[in-house]
């Protein structure tokens, strides 16, 4: 049976999970249909197709070597019906998704689920699907590829990776030995002409780790967040979503400069300001640290499995009353991060996982989970989606809301995707700490309208 050892970051996600903070990411897709019974048909299709997607068969189990490690392997007796569920009809898809987001995935099975939610509208034909994937199984791009493998054929599938070329029979494998700081080396690697390069690479890795550690320490200085963004773990979840016009985002970008992502981050900053003021918490002096994940995958590739992530850390100018000034501040901060690259700065803290042995992840997982609140105040992640329309059983995907896991001690996470000319914000919050999550969704809509109005006035 083929096994695939979890990379250090995957192992970290597997070990920091708790009952109150399940480490799955998700997407809520809303489909339109023109006939009753489409939800039941969709569930049947998902179960049938799941059996053909290799990545969905992979479970995660502990291994003896390395000590504290874990690996992915095909699950014996894999049954898609353990993972695809037809739920009761839902009048509010987001309310139903919030309840499902509270439940951790079964760690003894391949860690994913698909919940089909029939609608209860006038026609009763619309339905939604909530896909959940454990972060140790997939990052956003990998999860997209796995989910796309369950949709109607579009060319996005989880094809099995090519097998390596067989080793010629007359070439014997070289046995490696482990040297401190160098990992596994073979006799050929001990060639004096090769050692300097390996040593320089090790020194560079250590230097990078020290640089990231120092940046993390500096990021904890002068922290000015809001109590509304922190929470004692309750294990409850609430989700909300809002759809915005991508053309409006482009109009703001063209008038004010920067990138689409700069505008979307500035919209979050302005919405937080509006929301905090409206709920009575106040935005004065609030500069929360937003962790913005950055994919290290090559384009058009979802292999290898697991996570290939770094990140940028950005202080959101929530306290600034000027919407254009907020956008300029975000743009400057993002430009600075991009100039430094995804391997430096406090946002690259995920890369430190590579320097922790497997047993350290096993034993230190709970401690690392507790430390998330010290590193950042809110997660704002962007999940790429294909530009072509997705369908399930012939029913078009009309809306899709990415949903991020909620870190320990944090009350809110924001995910955003662009799809078919529209921007979809997916919000996840601790339900007890943030009972007014719909208010933040409305604030996102109001903030983009404000930016559109301000930039159109300045360009007239």
């Amino acid at each position: 049976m083929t096994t695939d050892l979890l990379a250090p970051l995957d192992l970290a996600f597997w070990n920091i999970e708790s009952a109150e903070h399940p480490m799955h990411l998700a997407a809520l897709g809303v489909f339109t249909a023109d006939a009753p019974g489409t939800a039941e048909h969709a569930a049947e299709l998902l179960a049938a197709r799941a059996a053909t997607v290799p990545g969905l068969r992979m479970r995660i189990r502990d291994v003896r070597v390395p000590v504290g490690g874990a690996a992915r392997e095909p699950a014996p007796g894999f049954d898609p019906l353990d993972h695809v569920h037809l739920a009761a009809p839902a009048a509010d898809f987001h309310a139903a998704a919030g309840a499902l987001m509270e439940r951790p995935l079964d760690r003894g099975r391949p860690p994913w689920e698909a919940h089909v939610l029939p609608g209860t509208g006038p026609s009763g034909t619309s339905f939604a699907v909530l896909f959940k994937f454990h972060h140790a199984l997939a990052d956003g791009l990998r999860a997209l590829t796995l989910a796309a493998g369950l949709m109607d054929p579009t060319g996005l599938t989880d094809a099995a990776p090519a097998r390596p070329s067989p080793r010629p029979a007359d070439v014997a494998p070289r046995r490696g030995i482990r040297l401190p700081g160098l990992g596994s080396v073979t006799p050929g690697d001990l060639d004096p002409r090769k050692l300097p390069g390996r040593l320089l690479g090790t020194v560079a890795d250590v230097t990078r780790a020290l640089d990231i550690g120092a940046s993390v320490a500096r990021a904890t200085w002068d922290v000015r967040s809001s109590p509304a963004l922190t929470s004692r773990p309750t294990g409850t979840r609430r989700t909300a979503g809002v759809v915005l016009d991508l053309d409006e985002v482009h109009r703001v970008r063209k008038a004010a400069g920067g990138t689409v992502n700069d505008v979307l981050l500035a919209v979050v900053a302005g919405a937080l300001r509006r929301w905090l003021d409206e709920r009575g918490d106040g935005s004065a002096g609030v500069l929360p640290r937003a962790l913005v994940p950055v994919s290290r995958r090559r384009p058009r590739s979802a292999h290898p499995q697991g996570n290939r992530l770094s990140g940028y850390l950005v202080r959101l100018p929530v306290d600034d009353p000027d919407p254009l000034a907020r956008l300029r501040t975000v743009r400057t901060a993002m430009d600075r991060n991009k100039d430094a690259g995804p391997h430096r700065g406090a946002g690259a803290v995920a890369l430190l996982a590579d320097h922790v042995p497997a047993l350290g992840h096993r034993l230190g997982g709970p401690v690392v989970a507790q430390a998330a609140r010290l590193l950042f105040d809110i997660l704002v992640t962007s999940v790429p989606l294909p530009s072509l329309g997705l369908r399930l059983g012939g029913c078009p995907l009309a809306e899709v809301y990415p949903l991020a896991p909620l870190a320990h001690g944090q009350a809110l996470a924001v995910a955003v995707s662009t799809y078919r000319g529209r921007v979809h914000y997916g919000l996840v919050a601790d339900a007890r700490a943030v009972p007014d999550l719909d208010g933040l969704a409305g604030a996102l809509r109001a903030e983009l309208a404000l930016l559109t109005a301000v930039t159109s006035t300045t360009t007239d």
Side-chain angles (χ1 to χ4, degrees), residues 18-414:
S18 66
E20 293 79 16
H21 286 86
M23 287 303 300
H24 52 253
L25 47 84
L28 178 66
V30 180
F31 297 83
T32 57
D34 56 8
T38 52
E40 291 80 358
H41 179 54
E44 294 171 357
L45 282 176
L46 291 173
R49 292 171 178 173
T52 68
V53 180
L56 297 180
R57 292 174 169 267
M58 304 301 284
R59 70 174 181 178
I60 296 176
R61 66 171 183 86
D62 296 341
V63 296
R64 294 181 179 179
V65 180
V67 177
R72 300 179 194 86
E73 66 176 16
F78 170 70
D79 186 350
L81 295 179
D82 292 333
H83 303 267
V84 178
H85 308 282
L86 181 63
D92 184 335
F93 292 140
H94 279 289
L100 293 169
M101 287 292 288
E102 295 177 3
R103 306 177 190 174
L105 293 165
D106 187 338
R107 292 169 69 92
R109 294 173 176 167
W112 68 274
E113 292 175 349
H115 296 268
V116 181
L117 310 171
T120 60
S123 64
T125 55
S126 67
F127 66 94
V129 180
L130 178 70
F131 293 101
K132 294 168 56 177
F133 297 95
H134 199 286
H135 223 324
L137 179 70
D139 56 19
L141 184 55
R142 172 72 176 166
L144 166 64
T145 304
L146 291 171
L150 302 175
M151 299 293 104
D152 294 350
T154 61
L156 273 175
T157 59
D158 183 41
R163 295 182 178 180
S165 301
R167 181 185 297 275
D170 59 341
V171 179
R174 297 177 299 173
R175 294 190 176 184
I177 59 175
R178 296 193 65 81
L179 294 180
L182 295 179
S184 178
V185 297
T186 64
D189 292 325
L190 295 179
D191 185 327
R193 293 169 296 180
K194 294 183 179 181
L195 280 176
R198 291 182 64 93
L199 288 170
L200 286 174
T202 301
V203 171
D205 287 343
V206 172
T207 301
R208 184 182 301 116
L210 291 174
D211 174 75
I212 294 171
S215 298
V216 168
R218 288 193 296 271
T220 63
W221 300 346
D222 191 29
V223 174
R224 288 183 286 168
S225 185
S226 168
L229 301 180
T230 62
S231 168
R232 291 184 178 181
T234 70
T236 60
R237 291 293 181 272
R238 183 184 303 274
T239 75
V242 63
V243 180
L244 305 179
D245 187 348
L246 183 58
D247 286 341
E248 288 191 20
V249 175
H250 279 298
R251 283 194 287 271
V252 173
R253 176 189 61 80
K254 290 177 182 178
T259 67
V260 167
N261 280 339
D262 293 341
V263 176
L264 297 179
L265 271 174
V267 167
V268 172
L272 286 173
R273 175 184 175 83
R274 185 185 300 267
W275 177 65
L276 290 174
D277 287 342
E278 289 177 351
R279 76 197 313 255
D281 290 315
S283 59
V286 176
L287 289 168
R289 299 159 300 170
L291 180 63
V292 182
V294 177
S295 175
R296 296 190 294 129
R297 291 188 185 277
R298 290 185 296 178
R300 300 182 181 275
S301 173
H303 297 288
Q305 301 184 70
N307 292 268
R308 296 295 181 270
L309 293 172
S310 182
Y312 297 145
L313 197 69
V314 179
R315 291 284 182 115
L316 296 180
V318 172
D319 65 339
D320 194 327
D322 184 343
L324 290 180
R326 289 195 294 268
L327 177 53
R328 287 193 295 270
T329 299
V330 167
R331 178 184 177 185
T332 299
M334 288 298 288
D335 286 346
R336 187 183 303 115
N337 276 307
K338 292 172 188 174
D339 289 342
H343 295 88
R344 298 186 61 187
V349 66
L351 301 183
L352 295 181
D354 293 340
H355 299 272
V356 179
L359 185 59
H361 284 295
R362 175 76 61 82
L363 299 178
V367 176
V368 173
Q370 296 279 347
R373 176 66 184 84
L374 300 176
L375 300 175
F376 61 97
D377 304 297
I378 184 173
L379 179 74
V380 184
T381 183
S382 177
V383 182
L385 289 176
S387 57
L388 69 163
L390 296 175
R391 291 174 175 268
L392 179 57
C395 302
L397 176 64
E399 303 169 19
V400 56
Y401 302 95
L403 303 171
L406 204 57
H408 188 281
Q410 296 178 345
L412 178 66
V414 179

